[in-house]
Amino acid sequence: MGWSEVVVLDVGDRFATWTHEQVGKRAGGKAFIEVSGRGEVTVHEGWLTTKEARKVRAAAEKAARGEAGAPPPAVVRAEVTNAQETYIDLHRLAAVRVALTEAPGVALRLLVAHALVGSTHWRVEADGRQGDAALSASLAANTATGAFAERRQVVVRSLGLDPDRRGLVGQRPEGGVSGAFARLLAMPDDEVLGVAAIVMAETLAAGSPEVEAAGAWLKVEIGRFWSPDEAFFDLIRDREAVNAMLREVGGKRVADGNLTERVKTQKAIIRDHLEGANDRTKVEAWTPRWMAFPPTAYTKRPFAAAARARSVAQLLRRVRPPAEPAAIAAE
Protein backbone atom coordinates (compact mmCIF):
# COMPACT_ATOMS: atom_id res chain seq x y z
CA MET A 1 0.00 0.00 0.00
CA GLY A 2 1.44 3.38 -1.03
CA TRP A 3 1.03 6.82 0.46
CA SER A 4 -2.40 8.42 0.15
CA GLU A 5 -0.78 11.36 -1.63
CA VAL A 6 2.71 12.57 -2.52
CA VAL A 7 3.10 16.35 -2.29
CA VAL A 8 6.14 18.00 -3.90
CA LEU A 9 6.79 21.41 -2.33
CA ASP A 10 8.04 24.33 -4.36
CA VAL A 11 11.83 24.59 -4.51
CA GLY A 12 13.08 26.34 -1.38
CA ASP A 13 9.84 25.88 0.60
CA ARG A 14 10.23 24.24 4.03
CA PHE A 15 7.85 21.56 5.26
CA ALA A 16 5.97 23.00 8.26
CA THR A 17 6.05 20.20 10.83
CA TRP A 18 4.38 22.46 13.38
CA THR A 19 1.15 22.47 11.35
CA HIS A 20 1.25 18.71 10.67
CA GLU A 21 1.23 15.46 12.62
CA GLN A 22 2.97 12.22 11.72
CA VAL A 23 0.37 9.46 11.53
CA GLY A 24 1.92 6.76 9.34
CA LYS A 25 0.85 5.06 6.16
CA ARG A 26 -2.06 3.03 7.51
CA ALA A 27 -3.82 6.15 8.79
CA GLY A 28 -3.73 7.75 5.36
CA GLY A 29 -0.55 9.76 5.83
CA LYS A 30 0.91 11.66 2.92
CA ALA A 31 4.52 11.99 1.78
CA PHE A 32 5.86 15.52 1.43
CA ILE A 33 8.99 16.10 -0.68
CA GLU A 34 11.10 19.13 0.18
CA VAL A 35 13.67 20.36 -2.37
CA SER A 36 16.26 22.89 -1.23
CA GLY A 37 17.70 25.59 -3.45
CA ARG A 38 20.83 23.43 -3.79
CA GLY A 39 18.84 20.46 -5.03
CA GLU A 40 18.96 18.45 -1.79
CA VAL A 41 15.83 16.34 -1.31
CA THR A 42 14.19 15.66 2.05
CA VAL A 43 11.21 13.28 2.26
CA HIS A 44 8.72 13.63 5.12
CA GLU A 45 6.72 10.41 5.21
CA GLY A 46 3.36 9.76 6.84
CA TRP A 47 2.15 13.27 7.70
CA LEU A 48 -1.25 14.96 7.70
CA THR A 49 -2.27 18.46 8.64
CA THR A 50 -3.27 18.76 12.29
CA LYS A 51 -6.91 19.15 11.25
CA GLU A 52 -6.79 16.04 9.02
CA ALA A 53 -5.06 14.02 11.76
CA ARG A 54 -7.78 14.95 14.26
CA LYS A 55 -10.46 13.79 11.84
CA VAL A 56 -8.66 10.48 11.33
CA ARG A 57 -8.39 9.88 15.09
CA ALA A 58 -12.01 10.85 15.67
CA ALA A 59 -13.19 8.47 12.95
CA ALA A 60 -11.04 5.66 14.38
CA GLU A 61 -12.44 6.21 17.87
CA LYS A 62 -16.01 6.16 16.58
CA ALA A 63 -15.38 3.01 14.59
CA ALA A 64 -13.90 1.35 17.65
CA ARG A 65 -17.06 2.14 19.62
CA GLY A 66 -19.32 1.15 16.74
CA GLU A 67 -20.71 4.67 16.57
CA ALA A 68 -20.01 5.53 12.96
CA GLY A 69 -23.54 6.85 12.50
CA ALA A 70 -24.23 8.03 16.05
CA PRO A 71 -25.14 11.71 16.60
CA PRO A 72 -22.59 13.84 18.48
CA PRO A 73 -23.09 13.83 22.26
CA ALA A 74 -24.62 16.84 23.95
CA VAL A 75 -22.21 19.38 25.37
CA VAL A 76 -21.91 19.02 29.14
CA ARG A 77 -20.73 21.96 31.24
CA ALA A 78 -17.36 21.34 32.90
CA GLU A 79 -17.07 21.10 36.67
CA VAL A 80 -14.56 23.98 36.88
CA THR A 81 -14.05 27.24 35.00
CA ASN A 82 -11.15 27.77 32.63
CA ALA A 83 -9.43 30.01 35.17
CA GLN A 84 -9.83 27.40 37.89
CA GLU A 85 -8.51 24.69 35.59
CA THR A 86 -5.41 26.81 34.82
CA TYR A 87 -4.85 27.29 38.56
CA ILE A 88 -5.08 23.54 39.17
CA ASP A 89 -2.87 22.65 36.21
CA LEU A 90 -0.04 25.02 37.07
CA HIS A 91 0.14 24.09 40.77
CA ARG A 92 0.13 20.39 39.96
CA LEU A 93 2.82 20.93 37.29
CA ALA A 94 5.01 22.68 39.88
CA ALA A 95 4.80 19.67 42.18
CA VAL A 96 5.53 17.16 39.40
CA ARG A 97 8.56 19.18 38.28
CA VAL A 98 10.19 18.82 41.69
CA ALA A 99 9.26 15.13 41.82
CA LEU A 100 10.96 14.54 38.46
CA THR A 101 14.18 16.14 39.71
CA GLU A 102 14.08 13.68 42.60
CA ALA A 103 13.54 10.70 40.27
CA PRO A 104 15.90 11.20 37.30
CA GLY A 105 15.28 7.68 36.03
CA VAL A 106 11.59 8.47 35.61
CA ALA A 107 12.43 11.84 34.09
CA LEU A 108 14.68 10.13 31.55
CA ARG A 109 11.83 7.86 30.47
CA LEU A 110 9.45 10.78 30.14
CA LEU A 111 12.06 12.71 28.15
CA VAL A 112 12.56 9.79 25.76
CA ALA A 113 8.79 9.42 25.34
CA HIS A 114 8.49 13.10 24.41
CA ALA A 115 11.37 12.93 21.95
CA LEU A 116 9.96 9.76 20.42
CA VAL A 117 6.35 10.86 19.92
CA GLY A 118 6.40 14.67 20.06
CA SER A 119 4.06 16.80 22.14
CA THR A 120 2.82 20.34 22.67
CA HIS A 121 6.32 21.63 23.40
CA TRP A 122 8.36 19.04 21.49
CA ARG A 123 8.92 18.88 17.76
CA VAL A 124 11.56 16.30 16.95
CA GLU A 125 12.22 15.05 13.41
CA ALA A 126 14.34 12.34 11.87
CA ASP A 127 16.91 13.46 9.32
CA GLY A 128 15.15 12.70 6.05
CA ARG A 129 17.62 13.95 3.49
CA GLN A 130 18.03 11.69 0.48
CA GLY A 131 20.15 11.93 -2.62
CA ASP A 132 19.82 10.63 -6.14
CA ALA A 133 19.75 6.96 -7.10
CA ALA A 134 23.54 6.64 -7.01
CA LEU A 135 23.79 8.07 -3.50
CA SER A 136 20.87 5.94 -2.31
CA ALA A 137 22.61 2.82 -3.61
CA SER A 138 25.86 3.91 -1.95
CA LEU A 139 24.12 4.40 1.40
CA ALA A 140 22.42 1.02 1.08
CA ALA A 141 25.83 -0.62 0.60
CA ASN A 142 27.22 1.10 3.70
CA THR A 143 26.97 -1.59 6.39
CA ALA A 144 26.22 1.08 9.02
CA THR A 145 22.87 1.68 7.28
CA GLY A 146 21.77 -1.93 7.74
CA ALA A 147 23.18 -2.19 11.27
CA PHE A 148 21.26 0.88 12.40
CA ALA A 149 18.05 -0.33 10.73
CA GLU A 150 18.30 -3.66 12.58
CA ARG A 151 18.87 -1.98 15.94
CA ARG A 152 16.00 0.40 15.29
CA GLN A 153 13.66 -2.50 14.53
CA VAL A 154 14.49 -4.06 17.91
CA VAL A 155 13.35 -0.85 19.61
CA VAL A 156 10.27 -0.58 17.40
CA ARG A 157 9.17 -4.07 18.43
CA SER A 158 9.90 -3.47 22.11
CA LEU A 159 7.66 -0.38 22.05
CA GLY A 160 4.88 -2.08 20.10
CA LEU A 161 5.15 0.33 17.17
CA ASP A 162 4.60 -0.19 13.43
CA PRO A 163 7.46 -2.32 12.05
CA ASP A 164 6.53 -1.36 8.48
CA ARG A 165 7.35 2.30 9.06
CA ARG A 166 10.87 3.25 8.03
CA GLY A 167 11.37 5.57 10.99
CA LEU A 168 10.92 5.40 14.73
CA VAL A 169 10.53 9.04 15.71
CA GLY A 170 7.04 10.44 15.24
CA GLN A 171 5.18 7.16 15.61
CA ARG A 172 2.28 7.32 18.04
CA PRO A 173 1.82 4.25 20.21
CA GLU A 174 -1.50 3.66 21.89
CA GLY A 175 -1.89 6.47 24.40
CA GLY A 176 0.58 8.78 22.65
CA VAL A 177 3.38 10.16 24.84
CA SER A 178 1.79 8.68 27.96
CA GLY A 179 1.58 5.28 26.29
CA ALA A 180 5.26 5.43 25.34
CA PHE A 181 6.09 6.57 28.89
CA ALA A 182 4.21 3.62 30.36
CA ARG A 183 6.13 1.16 28.18
CA LEU A 184 9.44 2.77 29.10
CA LEU A 185 8.62 2.56 32.81
CA ALA A 186 8.42 -1.22 32.42
CA MET A 187 11.90 -1.39 30.85
CA PRO A 188 15.22 -1.69 32.71
CA ASP A 189 17.63 1.24 32.49
CA ASP A 190 19.85 -0.35 29.84
CA GLU A 191 16.89 -0.84 27.48
CA VAL A 192 15.70 2.73 28.03
CA LEU A 193 19.16 4.01 27.21
CA GLY A 194 19.06 1.86 24.08
CA VAL A 195 15.81 3.53 23.02
CA ALA A 196 17.28 6.95 23.76
CA ALA A 197 20.33 6.13 21.63
CA ILE A 198 18.17 5.16 18.65
CA VAL A 199 16.01 8.30 18.98
CA MET A 200 19.08 10.51 19.18
CA ALA A 201 20.82 8.74 16.30
CA GLU A 202 17.76 8.95 14.04
CA THR A 203 17.27 12.68 14.68
CA LEU A 204 20.91 13.73 14.37
CA ALA A 205 21.21 16.21 11.48
CA ALA A 206 23.53 15.32 8.61
CA GLY A 207 26.22 17.93 8.07
CA SER A 208 25.89 19.35 11.59
CA PRO A 209 28.46 20.27 14.26
CA GLU A 210 26.79 17.64 16.44
CA VAL A 211 27.82 14.87 14.06
CA GLU A 212 31.40 16.12 14.25
CA ALA A 213 31.30 16.37 18.04
CA ALA A 214 29.88 12.89 18.55
CA GLY A 215 32.11 11.32 15.91
CA ALA A 216 35.26 12.87 17.37
CA TRP A 217 34.38 12.03 20.98
CA LEU A 218 33.52 8.43 20.10
CA LYS A 219 36.55 8.12 17.80
CA VAL A 220 34.38 6.73 15.00
CA GLU A 221 36.28 4.61 12.48
CA ILE A 222 34.32 5.02 9.27
CA GLY A 223 36.39 2.25 7.69
CA ARG A 224 34.33 -0.22 9.76
CA PHE A 225 31.35 0.50 7.53
CA TRP A 226 32.44 2.30 4.36
CA SER A 227 35.08 2.19 1.67
CA PRO A 228 35.50 4.45 -1.40
CA ASP A 229 32.90 3.47 -4.00
CA GLU A 230 31.74 4.48 -7.46
CA ALA A 231 29.53 7.30 -6.17
CA PHE A 232 32.39 8.77 -4.11
CA PHE A 233 34.74 8.94 -7.08
CA ASP A 234 32.06 10.16 -9.50
CA LEU A 235 31.44 13.22 -7.33
CA ILE A 236 35.09 14.34 -7.15
CA ARG A 237 35.75 17.29 -9.45
CA ASP A 238 38.75 19.10 -7.96
CA ARG A 239 42.15 18.47 -9.59
CA GLU A 240 44.23 19.65 -6.61
CA ALA A 241 42.29 17.48 -4.17
CA VAL A 242 42.40 14.36 -6.32
CA ASN A 243 46.16 14.75 -6.87
CA ALA A 244 46.64 14.97 -3.10
CA MET A 245 44.64 11.76 -2.75
CA LEU A 246 46.82 10.15 -5.39
CA ARG A 247 49.89 11.14 -3.38
CA GLU A 248 48.39 9.35 -0.34
CA VAL A 249 47.77 6.06 -2.11
CA GLY A 250 50.47 6.07 -4.81
CA GLY A 251 53.23 8.20 -3.31
CA LYS A 252 54.85 11.47 -4.34
CA ARG A 253 56.44 10.14 -7.52
CA VAL A 254 53.17 8.83 -8.94
CA ALA A 255 51.29 11.98 -7.96
CA ASP A 256 53.87 14.36 -9.44
CA GLY A 257 54.09 12.29 -12.61
CA ASN A 258 50.34 12.64 -13.17
CA LEU A 259 49.93 16.21 -11.93
CA THR A 260 48.73 17.53 -15.29
CA GLU A 261 46.56 14.53 -16.15
CA ARG A 262 42.80 14.85 -16.25
CA VAL A 263 40.89 14.37 -12.99
CA LYS A 264 39.29 11.27 -14.50
CA THR A 265 42.69 9.72 -15.18
CA GLN A 266 44.02 10.43 -11.70
CA LYS A 267 40.88 8.95 -10.13
CA ALA A 268 41.38 5.81 -12.21
CA ILE A 269 44.95 5.46 -10.92
CA ILE A 270 43.74 5.83 -7.32
CA ARG A 271 41.21 3.05 -7.90
CA ASP A 272 43.90 0.88 -9.44
CA HIS A 273 45.92 1.24 -6.24
CA LEU A 274 42.92 0.40 -4.07
CA GLU A 275 42.17 -2.70 -6.13
CA GLY A 276 45.79 -3.68 -6.90
CA ALA A 277 44.98 -3.52 -10.61
CA ASN A 278 47.11 -2.65 -13.67
CA ASP A 279 50.35 -3.47 -11.85
CA ARG A 280 49.70 -0.86 -9.18
CA THR A 281 50.70 -1.59 -5.58
CA LYS A 282 47.55 -2.41 -3.64
CA VAL A 283 46.69 -0.09 -0.76
CA GLU A 284 44.54 -1.54 2.03
CA ALA A 285 41.97 0.30 4.11
CA TRP A 286 42.48 3.82 2.74
CA THR A 287 40.23 6.48 4.29
CA PRO A 288 40.11 9.83 2.49
CA ARG A 289 40.68 12.80 4.77
CA TRP A 290 37.20 14.09 3.99
CA MET A 291 35.57 11.00 5.51
CA ALA A 292 37.62 10.64 8.69
CA PHE A 293 36.73 11.83 12.20
CA PRO A 294 37.87 14.54 12.45
CA PRO A 295 37.84 15.40 8.72
CA THR A 296 40.54 17.55 7.17
CA ALA A 297 40.93 19.28 3.82
CA TYR A 298 43.26 18.47 0.94
CA THR A 299 43.71 22.11 0.00
CA LYS A 300 43.76 25.50 1.71
CA ARG A 301 40.33 26.28 0.31
CA PRO A 302 37.13 26.06 2.42
CA PHE A 303 35.84 22.64 3.44
CA ALA A 304 32.73 22.91 5.62
CA ALA A 305 33.11 19.64 7.50
CA ALA A 306 36.65 20.50 8.56
CA ALA A 307 35.55 23.93 9.77
CA ARG A 308 32.78 22.36 11.86
CA ALA A 309 35.22 19.83 13.28
CA ARG A 310 37.67 22.55 14.32
CA SER A 311 34.93 24.51 16.08
CA VAL A 312 33.76 21.58 18.20
CA ALA A 313 37.31 20.35 18.90
CA GLN A 314 37.89 23.46 21.00
CA LEU A 315 34.82 22.61 23.09
CA LEU A 316 35.72 18.95 23.51
CA ARG A 317 39.21 19.79 24.70
CA ARG A 318 37.65 21.53 27.70
CA VAL A 319 35.74 18.44 28.80
CA ARG A 320 36.80 17.13 32.17
CA PRO A 321 35.69 13.52 32.73
CA PRO A 322 33.44 13.05 35.79
CA ALA A 323 35.35 12.34 39.00
CA GLU A 324 35.11 8.90 40.54
CA PRO A 325 32.95 8.66 43.71
CA ALA A 326 36.06 8.08 45.85
CA ALA A 327 37.69 11.21 44.48
CA ILE A 328 34.56 13.24 45.20
CA ALA A 329 34.53 11.98 48.78
CA ALA A 330 38.20 12.91 49.21
CA GLU A 331 37.49 16.44 48.09
Side-chain angles (χ1 to χ4, degrees):
M1 180 178 69
W3 300 106
S4 63
E5 184 179 351
V6 176
V7 180
V8 180
L9 305 180
D10 290 337
V11 174
D13 284 357
R14 298 296 303 276
F15 176 64
T17 56
W18 52 91
T19 62
H20 294 72
E21 291 185 24
Q22 197 166 23
V23 298
K25 185 181 294 185
R26 295 177 180 175
K30 303 175 184 177
F32 293 83
I33 299 178
E34 179 182 308
V35 183
S36 74
R38 295 186 298 175
E40 295 170 337
V41 177
T42 304
V43 180
H44 303 270
E45 298 180 337
W47 293 77
L48 291 174
T49 65
T50 302
K51 184 176 180 181
E52 291 171 331
R54 286 174 182 164
K55 288 182 178 179
V56 169
R57 286 197 294 271
E61 289 170 1
K62 282 186 177 182
R65 295 194 302 265
E67 299 176 359
V75 177
V76 179
R77 183 168 60 88
E79 183 172 305
V80 297
T81 64
N82 288 341
Q84 184 72 54
E85 187 170 20
T86 299
Y87 176 95
I88 292 167
D89 289 345
L90 291 179
H91 277 286
R92 297 177 76 245
L93 171 62
V96 171
R97 280 174 169 168
V98 174
L100 285 171
T101 66
E102 296 169 345
V106 175
L108 170 65
R109 286 159 171 80
L110 190 56
L111 180 148
V112 173
H114 275 74
L116 174 66
V117 182
S119 69
T120 303
H121 299 303
W122 284 68
R123 287 290 182 272
V124 181
E125 299 177 30
D127 188 294
R129 281 205 298 176
Q130 297 180 14
D132 57 17
L135 178 52
S136 296
S138 178
L139 285 170
N142 185 327
T143 58
T145 302
F148 180 70
E150 290 176 4
R151 295 174 189 184
R152 179 169 53 194
Q153 279 295 87
V154 171
V155 169
V156 166
R157 289 192 291 270
S158 69
L159 292 171
L161 300 176
D162 184 358
D164 296 329
R165 282 272 299 279
R166 188 178 67 179
L168 169 67
V169 173
Q171 290 206 44
R172 290 186 65 85
E174 182 181 357
V177 176
S178 297
F181 178 50
R183 284 185 175 271
L184 291 164
L185 285 172
M187 293 182 179
D189 287 352
D190 60 339
E191 286 190 31
V192 174
L193 290 174
V195 175
I198 294 294
V199 171
M200 185 63 259
E202 189 173 271
T203 57
L204 196 58
S208 67
E210 295 75 33
V211 168
E212 301 303 336
W217 185 258
L218 296 170
K219 297 180 173 60
V220 171
E221 292 286 347
I222 196 166
R224 287 178 56 197
F225 313 105
W226 173 90
S227 59
D229 59 6
E230 189 76 34
F232 174 78
F233 284 109
D234 283 349
L235 292 168
I236 299 175
R237 297 289 184 270
D238 189 84
R239 181 189 297 273
E240 186 180 359
V242 79
N243 189 257
M245 293 180 189
L246 182 55
R247 181 183 296 261
E248 285 183 341
V249 300
K252 182 178 185 302
R253 183 177 177 181
V254 174
D256 290 348
N258 290 278
L259 185 61
T260 60
E261 291 290 345
R262 294 185 304 166
V263 170
K264 181 178 181 181
T265 301
Q266 295 190 57
K267 288 193 290 187
I269 298 172
I270 293 173
R271 301 192 70 170
D272 283 345
H273 275 289
L274 298 181
E275 297 166 5
N278 295 322
D279 296 324
R280 300 287 183 180
T281 303
K282 185 171 184 177
V283 175
E284 302 284 355
W286 173 65
T287 298
R289 297 179 198 174
W290 295 339
M291 302 296 291
F293 285 95
T296 55
Y298 281 102
T299 72
K300 294 182 179 180
R301 284 171 284 128
F303 175 43
R308 290 192 297 267
R310 288 192 298 271
S311 69
V312 301
Q314 298 177 22
L315 303 174
L316 296 178
R317 279 195 291 268
R318 302 172 193 168
V319 176
R320 180 185 176 189
E324 295 295 330
I328 295 173
E331 293 174 1

